[in-house]
Amino acid sequence: MAETILRADAMLTPNGVVIGAELAFDAEGRITYAGSVRPESAIPSDAMVQDLVGQVLMPGLVNGHTHSAMTLLRGVSDDEGFMPWLAAVQAHEQHLTHEDVALGLQLAMVEMIETGTTAFADMYHWDAELIELVRSAGMRVMAAPATFAPEIVGFPSVSSNNGDDAVAATEALAEQYAGDPQIRIAYGPHAPYTSPPEFLRDIARRAVERGIPIHTHISESAAEVEQILEQYGATPGDHLDSVGLFEAEVLAAHCVHLTDSEIELFARTGTAVSHNPVSNLKLGNGIAKLPEMIEAGVRLTLGTDSVASNNSLDLFEEIKTGTILHRGVRQDAAIVRSSEVVHIATRGGAEALGFAETGALEVGMLADVISLDVTGSSATPFDAAALVSHIGFAATGADVREVFIGGHHVYTDGAHLTLDAAAIRRRAVVAGQRIRAAVVAGAGA
């Protein structure tokens, strides 16, 4: 395949904004040029040139934490607190089938791709069949099969695997997909309040020995912190440190109620945190100490959590919320800058998930790139020099026009090239209605 060249009004690069921009990548999806538009004499005669007039280029977004199969549970228990919400969600999950999980995953990828997300970290039921759906869609995933305790079957209507089975399956998947540029496998111990210490200690040991990362929830709610303090006499972060978890590579979701010493611990151990501001707010769980984590040098990514706790997988909403939230709470408009959060949602997220060759538009990197339309009302008048501010405060997923992942074209001007979006949506409507009816019938029995 010949070299592909994208020309746009502007482009976000690690060295700043390029106005009148050109991005080129080769048949392997590797970026060969990122800069100002070159003269035609410098362009190979067989290059495929796309002039994206009225559009800008930026790295694909990275969703640092979600449960993609739960798209079928969108809108469940929207106005309840964390614990009642969790109970309602679990009641619905008891009626999910493996086909539902596959469908929910596909629906999530439809939404993520069309809103500019190119890679995501996910904790739920995972197997090779589901991973192949991600590969065929063209996305990147850090997939963590969720576990709770050795004897607990996490998803009884989907799989008979208990915690020990899921750990073994995780290791088999990690071996199967070792070196795959689209796939990383992680252990998925759910949280310190659902996973006993010895189970966590065993997973930590395995993770270190095998080089497999861990994806878990930490300090999502005040109730969790109180429970762990009562059970173990330590905060969740300190408790997990005591079982050796942070000797491994860890991606920790939420981290709303970290102490200052836990933030220092995470920075010292290289533990990555997925900041999920919209989910944290919707469930009334609080506001994470993002400014302190940035200051301490904690590795950060930005996540949506599932649509059952967010209702949207649009990371542009997280970028804006994650920037302005802390400004309002601290009464300081400079405490978190849009440039910091845009970096967290792109390059920072790619590094946190282990996709080190993505997340930035520069020579040698893989071309995970999206284009945004800047001709609409919310972008007018558009100042290309202020592109980062536009991304941080005005852009939405609806502005996405083109998506390339590793140089592969997966979305163009409203059309999915790797997924049958219309069919997936139709099937999801039917599945969602069936699940809700089953819950209602069960409640009335």
Side-chain angles (χ1 to χ4, degrees):
M1 185 177 75
E3 189 173 63
T4 299
I5 295 175
L6 307 178
R7 290 173 176 161
D9 293 8
M11 175 171 61
L12 181 60
T13 76
N15 296 320
V17 176
V18 177
I19 300 174
E22 182 174 294
L23 181 77
F25 47 87
D26 61 22
E28 282 71 47
R30 191 78 59 179
I31 296 173
T32 57
Y33 178 80
S36 299
V37 173
R38 296 171 291 179
E40 293 301 322
S41 60
I43 305 301
S45 59
D46 62 346
M48 296 184 294
V49 180
Q50 294 190 43
D51 288 311
L52 305 177
V53 178
Q55 299 181 46
V56 297
L57 301 176
M58 65 174 290
L61 301 175
V62 178
N63 192 334
H65 176 69
T66 190
H67 310 280
S68 55
M70 293 173 71
T71 48
L72 297 184
L73 307 185
R74 195 190 311 264
V76 169
S77 192
D78 274 344
D79 293 313
E80 298 289 344
F82 182 58
M83 289 305 176
W85 167 85
L86 187 60
V89 165
Q90 289 174 338
H92 284 73
E93 284 181 310
Q94 298 308 305
H95 300 282
L96 290 176
T97 66
H98 190 278
E99 184 179 357
D100 291 330
V101 172
L103 179 57
L105 168 61
Q106 290 175 301
L107 181 61
M109 290 192 292
V110 166
E111 184 177 354
M112 285 191 281
I113 288 173
E114 64 193 21
T115 56
T117 293
T118 55
F120 63 107
D122 192 280
M123 180 198 294
Y124 213 70
H125 173 76
W126 280 96
D127 54 34
E129 179 181 336
L130 297 170
I131 289 170
E132 287 304 313
L133 291 176
V134 179
R135 281 173 49 81
S136 64
M139 295 192 76
R140 304 185 198 279
V141 67
M142 174 196 267
T147 57
F148 300 88
E151 72 284 359
I152 297 296
V153 178
F155 306 94
S157 59
V158 177
S159 167
S160 61
N161 281 357
N162 63 21
D164 283 338
D165 297 331
V167 167
T170 298
E171 292 167 358
L173 289 170
E175 182 175 354
Q176 180 177 349
Y177 290 98
D180 191 306
Q182 287 179 240
I183 311 297
R184 287 198 83 201
I185 304 299
Y187 294 105
H190 176 259
Y193 64 91
T194 53
S195 299
E198 285 307 314
F199 189 50
L200 291 167
R201 185 174 285 109
D202 182 57
I203 288 175
R205 177 185 59 78
R206 289 168 176 269
V208 171
E209 290 177 354
R210 293 165 173 79
I212 298 173
I214 295 170
H215 185 179
T216 189
H217 301 80
I218 299 178
S219 295
E220 182 175 1
S221 70
E224 173 191 333
V225 176
E226 183 179 344
Q227 178 181 337
I228 298 303
L229 277 169
E230 183 176 335
Q231 281 186 278
Y232 305 112
T235 60
D238 289 340
H239 167 60
L240 293 173
D241 187 38
S242 74
V243 300
L245 203 79
F246 302 124
E247 294 175 19
E249 177 188 346
V250 175
L251 172 60
H254 299 290
C255 300
V256 179
H257 298 280
L258 295 186
T259 64
D260 290 342
S261 64
E262 286 175 316
I263 290 174
E264 293 174 5
L265 168 67
F266 283 25
R268 185 173 68 252
T269 58
T271 297
V273 169
S274 177
H275 180 42
N276 314 314
V278 174
S279 173
N280 296 339
L281 290 171
K282 186 191 174 201
L283 294 178
N285 280 330
I287 300 169
K289 296 179 180 178
L290 181 64
E292 286 81 359
M293 287 190 275
I294 292 173
E295 177 67 23
V298 174
R299 299 168 63 222
L300 290 163
T301 182
L302 201 63
T304 60
D305 207 0
S306 78
V307 300
S309 62
N310 184 318
N311 299 56
S312 169
L313 295 172
D314 185 350
L315 273 170
F316 286 99
E317 183 178 50
E318 306 291 338
I319 292 172
K320 182 172 183 176
T321 303
T323 303
I324 65 175
L325 170 64
H326 307 281
R327 295 181 178 198
V329 170
R330 309 296 179 90
Q331 300 182 49
D332 181 356
I335 197 162
V336 175
R337 299 187 180 275
S338 57
S339 58
E340 293 174 311
V341 183
V342 170
H343 174 81
I344 290 168
T346 54
R347 182 61 178 155
E351 292 177 337
L353 270 60
F355 297 117
E357 294 188 292
T358 71
L361 303 185
E362 62 181 340
V363 173
M365 301 290 278
L366 292 172
D368 288 14
V369 55
I370 65 176
S371 76
L372 306 178
D373 186 340
V374 290
T375 64
S377 299
S378 63
T380 303
F382 178 67
D383 179 4
L387 176 56
V388 174
S389 292
H390 173 74
I391 294 169
F393 299 114
T396 73
D399 299 330
V400 174
R401 293 294 176 269
E402 308 290 335
V403 178
F404 294 82
I405 306 177
H408 298 289
H409 206 178
V410 301
Y411 183 76
T412 179
D413 200 20
H416 287 266
L417 305 179
T418 59
L419 292 162
D420 187 343
I424 290 168
R425 292 189 190 104
R426 286 195 302 270
R427 292 170 54 213
V429 169
V430 174
Q433 291 172 342
R434 190 200 79 244
I435 293 166
R436 283 162 174 76
V439 172
V440 171

